[in-house]
Amino acid sequence: MAQYDVVIFGGGPAGYNAAIRAGQLGLKVAVVEKRVTLGGTCLNVGCMPSKALLHASELYAAAAGSEFATLGIEVKPKLNLVQMMKQKADSVTALTKGIEFLFKKNKVDWVKGAGKIAGSGKVEVTAEDGSVSTLETANIVIATGSEPSSLPGVAVDQTRIVDSTGALSLPEVPKSLIVIGAGIIGLELGSVWRRLGAEVTVVEFLDRITPGMDAETAKTFQRSLTKQGLVFKLGAKVTGAKAGKSNVSLTVEPVAGGAAETLTADYVLLAIGRRPYTEGLGLESVGVVPDKRGVIETDHFKTSAPGVWAIGDAIHGPMLAHKAEEDAVACIEIIAGKWGHVDYNLVPSVVYTAPEVAWVGKTEEQLKEAGVDYKVGKFPFSANSRAKINHETEGFAKVLADAKTDEILGVHIVGPQAGEMIGEYCVAMVFKAASEDVARTCHPHPTRSEAGRQAAMGVEGWIMQA
């Protein structure tokens, strides 16, 4: 029976980062992963392949539309979808191999197979050939990630009705695509296929897109996507879907009441969120019972069972790879006798469309609801030199700061490279910076980051470039 300090269920961002940190701290660690590759959903069928297609489709749209012509580059691009998918797969393979290298470097054992807790301190692993091995460990960490949520009446077959995994590998550019759900995943993948030529309709139960995003930012974002050709049906409930050989019929009715209608498309993408993957892990053998959504309750990553921990998508908090990484480091450091902590208010979110959207901290709606007196500074990218030169003038940067102390409470950016720009504010906010701290920090010129600085200036009303 193999002996370990830590056995981790799952080789995704939570699991592999936990394993690497454990190895760095001198703990004997194993990762149980049933996929044939490491990296979990993020690297294999999530974050990374979607970014590969977003990047490729953006370049294709720039060449096929007016952008290249405006720059004096005259081309007539031809889409090679097979090659586009191949380069995506090649990139993913390189990343997953990179994690294998990091495991070897940090003396992490990868035990291939499906893991199950078999009582306190024991893990059974069933390999693909059916053989079972047992691991003994002082600590078990559940880092099994999440899976796409289902919707009654909409059966995913990965042929005509697909989830996010299927949408990353469609065999053709659809003439028409319906996306169920106006969240980050649906809008990213919908925008990929729209740029490649599909007519895309987004059906959303709520009366707005991207729930949780600052409302003003979401409205600006929706206007931009609408200009790109995405069609939105908001406040609409999907009641059923019927897949045929060449298309899908979707039944939709207004949430507020009214006549139902039938929408038809070549493909339907179901993207209404994700749920923790926590079934079949043997949690009941140690008395851990997830809630009805599959979420495991924890206190500083400790479950109700001694020596059993949970991190990433398996616990409360945003289902984001970088949040999972923070959980992983903090959890392992606590196990190793150090002090670990994650500030969930400072976990940034990014939508990798064009323009990008990124935010961290509180929205205006949250501050109003909490009765916090705040000030707003906002700066448009249309007044930013680099954005104007690059013809990327959509959107704005917005800074929310406490009216009395000037502490930055939230930042919301819709525009070029928003995901890169938000990191500056994550650092500022972790040190409780005031908006004036950013406003009086020299930024390189010409850069998009100056929009973030000008927005900070705007909190006290001294924007200089607009």
Side-chain angles (χ1 to χ4, degrees):
M1 188 181 294
Q3 304 277 334
Y4 291 95
D5 296 313
V6 185
V7 171
I8 300 165
F9 281 36
Y16 75 71
N17 280 294
I20 290 167
R21 187 67 184 124
Q24 290 175 339
L25 293 174
L27 300 175
K28 185 171 174 54
V29 57
V31 169
V32 179
E33 173 56 65
K34 64 183 179 181
R35 287 182 190 267
V36 295
T37 54
L38 294 168
T41 294
C42 178
L43 263 66
N44 288 279
V45 290
C47 319
M48 306 319 299
S50 66
K51 302 312 165 283
L53 292 183
L54 282 158
H55 176 62
S57 65
E58 284 176 26
L59 293 176
Y60 175 76
S66 61
E67 189 172 342
F68 270 30
T70 300
L71 297 174
I73 305 169
E74 297 182 0
V75 294
K76 290 185 178 180
K78 180 181 178 182
L79 177 63
N80 183 339
L81 188 61
V82 172
Q83 174 58 27
M84 189 176 287
M85 292 296 178
K86 181 182 181 301
Q87 62 84 30
K88 175 199 70 173
D90 290 346
S91 297
V92 167
T93 298
L95 289 168
T96 58
K97 292 294 184 184
I99 296 176
E100 288 187 43
F101 166 76
L102 291 171
F103 273 23
K104 292 175 183 176
K105 177 182 176 183
N106 292 284
K107 299 179 181 178
V108 177
D109 290 343
W110 174 14
V111 183
K112 300 180 181 180
K116 187 173 184 178
I117 300 174
S120 180
K122 288 187 178 180
V123 174
E124 289 184 351
V125 183
T126 303
E128 193 174 9
D129 63 5
S131 62
V132 179
S133 58
T134 302
L135 314 179
E136 194 168 84
T137 180
N139 296 279
I140 296 170
V141 178
I142 304 300
T144 43
S146 59
E147 59 186 344
S149 296
S150 59
L151 183 65
V154 183
V156 172
D157 59 14
Q158 300 295 28
T159 302
R160 288 291 160 184
I161 303 175
V162 300
D163 59 18
S164 56
T165 300
L168 288 166
S169 301
L170 294 181
E172 61 183 351
V173 177
K175 290 187 176 64
S176 55
L177 170 69
I178 296 174
V179 179
I180 305 174
I184 294 175
I185 295 171
L187 295 180
E188 285 186 353
L189 294 175
S191 69
V192 164
W193 293 107
R194 175 68 196 101
R195 284 194 288 265
L196 296 180
E199 294 179 359
V200 178
T201 301
V202 181
V203 180
E204 168 58 48
F205 183 83
L206 301 177
D207 61 358
R208 54 161 293 173
I209 71 169
T210 50
M213 184 186 288
D214 176 81
E216 181 186 24
T217 306
K219 287 179 181 176
T220 300
F221 182 36
Q222 184 180 341
R223 282 198 299 269
S224 176
L225 293 176
T226 299
K227 283 200 300 184
Q228 294 173 41
L230 274 74
V231 175
F232 291 92
K233 281 187 169 293
L234 305 178
K237 179 182 180 181
V238 175
T239 57
K242 184 178 180 181
K245 288 185 178 180
S246 60
N247 60 26
V248 183
S249 296
L250 204 66
T251 307
V252 179
E253 60 184 45
V255 172
E261 63 175 320
T262 299
L263 307 178
T264 303
D266 294 345
Y267 295 90
V268 165
L269 163 58
L270 179 62
I272 60 169
R274 300 181 65 82
R275 56 171 287 129
Y277 186 87
T278 52
E279 293 182 5
L281 303 179
L283 292 167
E284 67 283 353
S285 72
V286 289
V288 175
V289 181
D291 69 14
K292 62 181 181 181
R293 289 188 56 246
V295 177
I296 299 173
E297 295 288 341
T298 60
D299 179 7
H300 291 83
F301 316 110
K302 298 176 183 178
T303 71
S304 58
V308 180
W309 311 70
I311 57 177
D313 289 2
I315 67 173
H316 289 290
M319 289 185 171
L320 299 169
H322 45 281
K323 177 265 191 186
E325 179 178 347
E326 297 306 302
D327 284 355
V329 171
C331 177
I332 293 298
E333 291 185 346
I334 292 171
I335 289 173
K338 295 178 176 291
W339 186 83
H341 174 71
V342 180
D343 185 345
Y344 292 110
N345 187 50
L346 297 183
V347 175
S349 294
V350 184
V351 190
Y352 295 93
T353 47
E356 289 186 353
V357 189
W359 66 97
V360 66
K362 302 298 184 184
T363 66
E364 286 202 61
E365 292 70 40
Q366 289 171 328
L367 293 176
K368 288 174 182 175
E369 186 178 349
V372 176
D373 190 13
Y374 67 95
K375 290 184 178 181
V376 182
K378 191 169 76 169
F379 186 81
F381 279 100
S382 59
N384 174 261
S385 299
R386 182 65 184 274
K388 288 168 82 170
I389 290 295
N390 287 14
H391 309 286
E392 301 170 327
T393 54
E394 283 190 294
F396 57 79
K398 179 165 74 171
V399 175
L400 310 176
D402 188 284
K404 294 179 182 178
T405 67
D406 195 34
E407 180 183 344
I408 301 167
L409 303 176
V411 180
H412 307 272
I413 306 172
V414 52
Q417 299 293 308
E420 302 292 343
M421 291 174 57
I422 203 67
E424 171 185 4
Y425 274 101
C426 294
V427 173
M429 291 171 71
V430 88
F431 285 102
K432 305 292 185 182
S435 71
E436 186 178 6
D437 292 325
V438 176
R440 295 190 181 277
T441 298
C442 185
H443 285 60
H445 174 79
T447 62
R448 303 169 186 88
S449 69
E450 290 177 286
R453 182 192 186 190
Q454 292 288 322
M457 291 176 173
V459 172
E460 294 298 330
W462 59 292
I463 285 175
M464 298 176 63
Q465 295 177 3

